[in-house]
Amino acid sequence: MTTWVFCEEQNGNASPSALELLTKARGWGDVQVFYVGAGSDTAFTQLGDHGSSAVHHLDVGDRLPAAAAAAALAGLVGESDIVLFGMSSTDRDVAGRLSARTGCPVLANAVEIDPSGEEVLVTNEILGGTTRVVTAATAGPVIVVARPKAFPAEQNGGGAPGVTAVPTPDVGHPGGASVLERHVEESEGPDLEAAAIVIGGGRGMGGAAEKWEPVANLASLLGGAVGATRAVVDAGWVPYSLQIGQTGKTVKPDVYIACGVSGAMQHLVGMKDSSLIIAINKDPEAPIFSVSDLGIVGDVHKVMPALNAALENR
Amino acid sequence: MQAKKKPVDTKTCADLGVSPTAQQVIRSVEPVPARQAGEIVEDEGEGYLKIIEKLEEAKVI
């Protein structure tokens, strides 16, 4: 059995999901990476450091990679193999195409993967993270799409892996789409998904720009990142890139401070696995308190300025 | 009303030349253990001190 981890290059680095999945899978046996992108020694070293024994590198230039990647990957994987993907759009695109090519199902949204028994058991959470379902595939290779942050990424000092170039297969029309432009969203402070401390602001903060200030101030005082609920993003107070939740980003920081966040299920699934959760909300019945380690029932516009002032004076 | 007049043509999977078989089977369904709610404090002007205490415990300040 070989485990394959799909990795799409991101600004010269390995994708975070690939490093997480390598960390998870390296204890199972041989783990190889199917890599899509221009190729970079930095990325290859990252993959080796996280347990990859070999990297199969496909470079399709400015073409959209999914169709070619799925065709090439289908030629490499065997029936007893496991193929792991993250949740980026390219990851999911390739997983779907690989499923069509191999006739094997995609087990999606995985939060746990266990290949130790006779069949590969994949756990996912449904109904807003309240119910766990364990599924298995009856045909292989087993294709799994894992949720971001389901597994922590840790190095094991594996060293540089061998890199093999994969020839670009001719897939005809589907392989013809090209990338014309890329836009990078500008942001300040630490990356929301990687930050150790996240300050999440909800509708309770109020709409005007100055009302949002305590959230940004607290984040900068603690060296954390700012996140927001869907209601806040929908209202246009902050950009979509800050949204935490089912349709936004998943965060798993050491400390999550929810400010004026009621705790709708859609938001909770994106942050409930944080190590320490502190919530400030004026409604004592707010669902956010049911997942909080510390809940302050009070006005965010009184508690936060006092908190920020106290932190400034330290 | 136009839609009601349209013929409905029923086809079986065999007519379409496919034989679907489930390749994904559910092995178990269980509730996720709920996260325990922690301490809830009513803010009387000193609530922020509790937060500082927690942040100190977590060694982030």
Side-chain angles (χ1 to χ4, degrees):
Chain A
M1 178 194 94
T2 296
T3 304
W4 296 82
V5 171
F6 182 81
C7 177
E8 182 185 28
E9 186 175 300
Q10 293 184 358
N11 301 320
N13 290 299
S15 63
S17 65
L19 302 182
E20 292 165 17
L21 292 168
L22 278 171
T23 307
K24 176 68 182 172
R26 68 192 179 210
W28 305 343
D30 185 35
V31 189
Q32 308 202 4
V33 169
F34 188 87
Y35 185 97
V36 170
S40 100
D41 287 339
T42 311
F44 296 151
T45 307
Q46 288 166 342
L47 294 167
D49 283 343
H50 286 78
S52 168
S53 64
V55 172
H56 302 260
H57 175 207
L58 176 71
D59 181 6
V60 293
D62 282 337
R63 300 282 181 187
L64 272 184
L73 193 49
L76 290 169
V77 297
E79 275 181 26
S80 60
D81 291 354
I82 303 174
V83 195
L84 304 178
F85 292 89
M87 275 226 198
S88 82
S89 49
T90 305
D91 281 67
R92 287 178 295 168
D93 195 353
V94 177
R97 291 172 186 276
L98 182 64
S99 170
R101 281 185 177 271
T102 58
C104 297
V106 177
L107 305 181
N109 256 324
V111 294
E112 183 55 78
I113 308 161
D114 176 13
S116 62
E118 276 181 24
E119 52 188 9
V120 181
L121 296 176
V122 174
T123 306
N124 59 32
E125 293 185 349
I126 61 165
L127 302 175
T130 57
T131 306
R132 293 193 140 210
V133 181
V134 176
T135 52
T138 56
V142 179
I143 305 167
V144 181
V145 175
R147 277 194 69 80
K149 302 284 168 67
F151 315 108
E154 285 159 15
Q155 297 190 3
N156 71 341
V163 179
T164 316
V166 176
T168 305
D170 180 12
V171 288
H173 224 50
S178 297
V179 179
L180 299 180
E181 262 182 274
R182 288 175 195 275
H183 293 277
V184 178
E185 188 130 23
E186 302 292 338
S187 65
E188 292 169 20
D191 175 32
L192 176 57
E193 288 170 288
I197 299 174
V198 174
I199 316 300
R203 212 178 172 79
M205 293 308 301
E210 67 268 20
K211 293 207 159 184
W212 188 258
E213 242 168 48
V215 174
N217 288 348
L218 181 56
S220 77
L221 284 166
L222 293 174
V226 172
T229 62
R230 192 181 70 186
V232 166
V233 170
D234 282 352
W237 302 348
V238 297
Y240 170 70
S241 57
L242 298 190
Q243 186 184 326
I244 294 169
Q246 199 141 32
T247 48
K249 289 179 172 145
T250 303
V251 298
K252 211 171 176 179
D254 298 334
V255 181
Y256 185 85
I257 306 182
C259 311
V261 172
S262 65
M265 195 47 95
Q266 122 84 24
H267 183 68
L268 294 186
V269 296
M271 46 60 74
K272 71 184 170 60
D273 292 324
S274 307
S275 307
L276 173 69
I277 299 176
I278 299 173
I280 311 164
N281 199 306
K282 64 175 191 291
D283 175 11
E285 303 299 323
I288 188 76
F289 289 129
S290 67
V291 300
S292 302
D293 298 284
L294 173 66
I296 306 292
V297 180
D299 183 349
V300 279
H301 288 294
K302 288 187 179 142
V303 178
M304 293 192 71
L307 174 64
N308 289 350
L311 288 170
E312 262 169 42
N313 293 331
R314 286 171 72 91
Chain B
M1 294 314 279
Q2 286 292 314
K4 283 191 173 178
K5 292 181 194 151
K6 295 291 177 191
V8 177
D9 189 11
T10 306
K11 288 189 190 301
T12 65
C13 289
D15 294 338
L16 299 171
V18 292
S19 49
T21 45
Q23 291 182 313
Q24 183 173 354
V25 282
I26 293 177
R27 293 294 180 226
S28 71
V29 179
E30 278 167 21
V32 174
R35 194 180 169 117
Q36 292 289 314
E39 188 185 0
I40 307 284
V41 184
E42 194 84 31
D43 179 46
E44 309 279 357
E46 307 277 284
Y48 72 94
L49 291 174
K50 276 284 190 193
I51 298 179
I52 289 184
E53 214 174 275
K54 260 294 191 233
L55 293 175
E56 279 174 344
E57 264 176 48
K59 296 193 167 51
V60 294
I61 54 171

